[in-house]
Amino acid sequence: MSTHQGVCCPPVTEAALDLESSQRLATVFATLADPVRLQLFSLIASQTEGSCACDLVDTLKRSQPTVSHHLKTLYQAGLVERQRRGRWIWYTARPEALNEAATLLTC
Amino acid sequence: MSTHQGVCCPPVTEAALDLESSQRLATVFATLADPVRLQLFSLIASQTEGSCACDLVDTLKRSQPTVSHHLKTLYQAGLVERQRRGRWIWYTARPEALNEAATLLTC
DNA sequence: GTGTTATATTGATATTCATCAATATATAGA
DNA sequence: TCTATATATTGATGAATATCAATATAACAC
């Protein structure tokens, strides 16, 4: 963290972002910008043992392909990890990814 | 901030969000999810005295209506304030809004 | 008043993407 | 192998939105 006019500033306000940095950061926010996907992430993150994908369709009231699509998006953004257990796949949150995003916004 | 299984958790991971909460939070993230809009906000936030809208079109290399549209989005999301000075309108960042967003992500 | 400049709005278009049905892939059990 | 189940992928569609040209509004200078 550095300073700007004597006040501690997060990266977003410290200096103007160039287009490339903006694109990278915007991708993080875009991942959380869909309400269904955000709820999906919250569901997974609220269970320390993670969540079985088999349980998420019912809770979200979305089709299986839609849930699978959102899980893929979260995975590719580094927000969740996946682990196969037999026929099932369990997803767990990566809180580090959240911290990285928050670090961009605050000191 | 409360705890979950003995570990301090931000709201997003503390408990599963319902759909309504997810929609509200997702709106905050969606505002920052466009690279041009994020860069625009960063430009404004990096100047403590704010930025004149008249200077932003050249920097962003977008049309005047496009910049105006993004400024409106930022304003409606509470991320910036506007102030008319003669023929010009100056925009300043509201860092509180950033803190609110970050608070959702971390302890 | 007229003219000039700064910003906002309207309307149209193209792109992105959330969603689902259908299908494919993968794993376990018989 | 065959069947059943869990998850992923493909393809199509509709909705949301980023973008711009044209126009409108607002404020100053004259």
Side-chain angles (χ1 to χ4, degrees):
Chain A
M1 190 61 54
S2 71
T3 58
H4 165 65
Q5 312 249 357
V7 179
C8 175
C9 296
V12 172
T13 62
E14 177 195 339
L17 300 170
D18 57 27
L19 185 55
E20 189 181 357
S21 300
S22 297
Q23 287 171 335
R24 187 167 35 81
L25 297 191
T27 300
V28 177
F29 295 123
T31 304
L32 300 170
D34 180 82
V36 173
R37 192 159 53 230
L38 182 59
Q39 189 183 14
L40 174 58
F41 175 75
S42 175
L43 278 168
I44 296 169
S46 63
Q47 310 288 328
T48 46
E49 69 275 22
S51 298
C52 176
C54 57
D55 295 326
L56 298 168
V57 173
D58 283 351
T59 307
L60 289 178
K61 295 174 181 168
R62 290 294 188 284
S63 71
Q64 182 271 323
T66 295
V67 174
S68 182
H69 164 253
H70 285 310
L71 286 169
K72 183 180 185 179
T73 302
L74 290 173
Y75 178 74
Q76 290 179 332
L79 284 166
V80 298
E81 290 178 343
R82 51 170 29 136
Q83 179 191 9
R84 180 175 281 277
R85 298 184 192 170
R87 253 178 296 192
W88 299 272
I89 298 191
W90 285 71
Y91 285 86
T92 49
R94 286 190 62 246
E96 316 90 90
L98 270 194
N99 288 335
E100 292 165 9
T103 300
L104 304 173
L105 299 179
T106 50
C107 301
Chain B
M1 189 63 53
S2 71
T3 58
H4 165 65
Q5 313 250 355
V7 179
C8 176
C9 296
V12 172
T13 62
E14 177 195 336
L17 300 170
D18 58 27
L19 185 56
E20 189 181 358
S21 299
S22 298
Q23 286 172 336
R24 188 167 35 80
L25 298 190
T27 299
V28 177
F29 295 124
T31 304
L32 300 170
D34 180 82
V36 173
R37 193 159 52 231
L38 181 59
Q39 189 182 15
L40 175 58
F41 175 74
S42 174
L43 278 169
I44 297 169
S46 63
Q47 309 288 328
T48 47
E49 70 275 22
S51 298
C52 176
C54 58
D55 295 327
L56 298 169
V57 173
D58 284 351
T59 307
L60 289 178
K61 295 175 181 169
R62 290 295 187 285
S63 71
Q64 181 270 323
T66 295
V67 174
S68 182
H69 164 253
H70 285 309
L71 286 169
K72 184 178 184 179
T73 302
L74 289 173
Y75 178 74
Q76 291 180 331
L79 284 166
V80 297
E81 292 178 341
R82 53 176 21 144
Q83 179 190 8
R84 181 176 280 278
R85 298 184 192 171
R87 251 178 296 192
W88 298 272
I89 299 192
W90 285 71
Y91 284 87
T92 49
R94 286 189 63 247
E96 317 89 90
L98 271 194
N99 289 335
E100 292 165 9
T103 300
L104 304 173
L105 299 179
T106 49
C107 301

